[in-house]
Structures are given as C-alpha cells and as structure tokens.
Amino acid sequence: MNHTGTVPIKTARLQLRPLVFHDADVMFSTWTTDPDVVQYLSWRPHTSVDETKRIISYWVSNYPDPKFYIWGIQLQTGRLIGTISFHSISDAFSRGEVGYALAKAYWGKGYASEALQAIINHGFGVIGFNRIEAHHSISNPASGKVMEKCGMQKEGLLRDYYRANAGLQDAYIYSILKKDWDLSQGHW
Ligand SMILES: CC(C)(COP(=O)(O)OP(=O)(O)OC[C@H]1O[C@@H](n2cnc3c(N)ncnc32)[C@H](O)[C@@H]1OP(=O)(O)O)[C@@H](O)C(=O)NCCC(=O)NCCS
C-alpha cells in the first residue's frame, strides 16, 4: 500500500481537497444540519457551528496521518458542497470503504458520482487498494445509483446493518475490485 493521505484531486468539475477550519460556516449552514442529508447517515445533525468546528479540528489534526482520508468536495466556483472519504481501511486485506454526503441543493447533478470515480481511481491507481466497498440503506437508492455509475457491484443485503437517524437500516453492500477497475481502465 502506498498511502497518500488526503492529497488534492482534480476532476472535470470538482476539486477534492482537505477541509479547513473556515469551511465550518458553509458546512453548518448547508448539510451538517439538514435532516434530509443525515436521514440515512449514522452521525447526528450538528446542533451548533462549534460542533462542526470541533469535527473539522479533529480532521485537521489527523491530516498528517497518511492513512487518513476525508476530502471536501468543491466546485470550480470555490463553493464547498460536501465531503467524501475512505474509512475502515485494512492494510492486511488492501481494502477500504467509501462514504460521501452532499448539500441538498447540489443533488442530481452527477457530483457524487464524479467525486466517487475520482477517489476510486486514486484508491486503485495510487494507494494500491485491491477492494473498495460501500454500503447504503435500502431506502436510499440514489446512493446505490452512484455506486453503480462508478462500476461497483451489488453483493448482497445486510440486515439491520447500522443505525441511522431514520432508525435501524437494512443495507446493500457494493464493491469494486482492482481487476474490475483495470478492465474498465478507470472509465465507466
Ligand atoms: C446520495 C447522494 C450522495 C447522491 O449525490 P448526487 O450528487 O445527487 O448523485 P449523482 O447525481 O452523482 O447520482 C445520483 C443518481 O441517483 C439517481 N437517483 C436519484 N434519486 C433516486 C431514487 N430515488 N431512486 C433511484 N435513483 C435515484 C439520479 O437520477 C442519479 O442517476 P443518473 O445520473 O443516472 O440520473 C446525495 O443524495 C446525498 O448526499 N445524500 C445524503 C447523504 C447520503 O445519503 N450519503 C450516502 C450514504 S450511503
């Protein structure tokens, strides 16, 4: 494995970059407090901008760790619209899981798929994962569509897999393997 940490990644429409302290206000006023965004996520909506700031501080203190990956998703205008991450990383099995969330005003424009494709390319092409996985609540099909658009395959149903703000969730698990990605040459 060749861990890089949260290095900047550029796509056609997006810049993926480390979060900084002054991102707190836009995060708090858009997605970290939005019940529709957090409905199928396991973290509680933030109740104060200080809570958002504390979480960013935690991320900032972890950025020197080459195995720590959480990017802000930024438009070319400079507007921050969400986050995307690798977590639950296993070096022993060359495996990592992805997670993402976008402010509601920016849903349905292909941004999550573009960001996910970019970190999949980075994960296989640079970091050296063999398997990248993700799961989503069965009640959140848009997230499954994002995974499918990036070449991930549905592997099965995980019953009562995690507790979200909307309660206990059955989830579909998806993955993409390095050999799948090689065949696709990184373009789905
Ligand atoms: C899930 C989420 C990241 C999707 O982001 P996005 O930028 O809108 O995703 P994209 O535009 O790249 O792709 C979404 C796809 O889902 C489709 N879609 C939207 N609602 C859908 C639904 N109810 N059923 C099936 N497909 C749906 C869209 O049509 C689109 O597919 P298309 O490009 O073929 O038309 C965004 O809704 C979000 O942040 N939700 C809250 C947090 C969250 O749930 N994160 C994922 C946790 S697993």
Side-chain angles (χ1 to χ4, degrees):
M1 302 284 282
N2 176 34
H3 286 293
T4 63
T6 309
V7 291
I9 299 174
K10 204 170 162 8
T11 72
R13 296 180 298 167
L14 303 172
Q15 177 77 42
L16 309 185
R17 59 152 176 91
L19 279 301
V20 293
F21 201 61
H22 71 245
D23 292 324
D25 287 335
V26 68
M27 288 173 65
F28 184 75
S29 63
T30 53
W31 75 90
T32 64
T33 45
D34 184 339
D36 292 337
V37 172
V38 300
Q39 189 174 12
Y40 300 114
L41 301 180
S42 49
W43 49 269
R44 304 281 303 154
H46 296 184
T47 54
S48 71
V49 72
D50 282 345
E51 189 179 353
T52 307
K53 284 179 179 166
R54 274 197 301 277
I55 286 164
I56 295 176
S57 292
Y58 171 77
W59 293 341
V60 167
S61 68
N62 277 280
Y63 279 138
D65 178 353
K67 285 176 64 176
F68 187 76
Y69 298 99
I70 179 157
W71 290 269
I73 303 172
Q74 183 179 294
L75 300 180
Q76 280 161 351
T77 58
R79 179 78 181 179
L80 185 72
I81 62 167
T83 58
I84 187 161
S85 63
F86 284 126
H87 58 91
S88 306
I89 290 169
S90 163
D91 278 355
F93 303 122
S94 305
R95 188 169 75 199
E97 184 168 344
V98 295
Y100 40 77
L102 260 66
K104 198 164 48 191
Y106 301 94
W107 292 2
K109 301 177 193 307
Y111 291 135
S113 306
E114 189 168 324
L116 178 58
Q117 185 64 71
I119 72 162
I120 286 174
N121 292 348
H122 186 72
F124 289 130
V126 182
I127 299 172
F129 285 125
N130 179 58
R131 172 185 164 95
I132 295 173
E133 58 188 47
H135 68 267
H136 72 86
S137 164
I138 64 168
S139 302
N140 189 14
S143 184
K145 192 72 189 293
V146 170
M147 294 169 197
E148 281 165 15
K149 282 165 64 180
C150 294
M152 302 185 84
Q153 297 178 26
K154 189 190 281 184
E155 295 181 318
L157 174 69
L158 305 167
R159 298 179 303 151
D160 281 357
Y161 187 60
Y162 74 103
R163 192 176 298 282
N165 289 289
L168 209 50
Q169 302 293 309
D170 289 350
Y172 289 124
I173 180 159
Y174 280 71
S175 79
I176 179 169
L177 303 182
K178 171 73 161 54
K179 60 189 177 192
D180 306 329
W181 180 80
D182 283 342
L183 278 176
S184 77
Q185 299 178 330
H187 298 291
W188 293 90

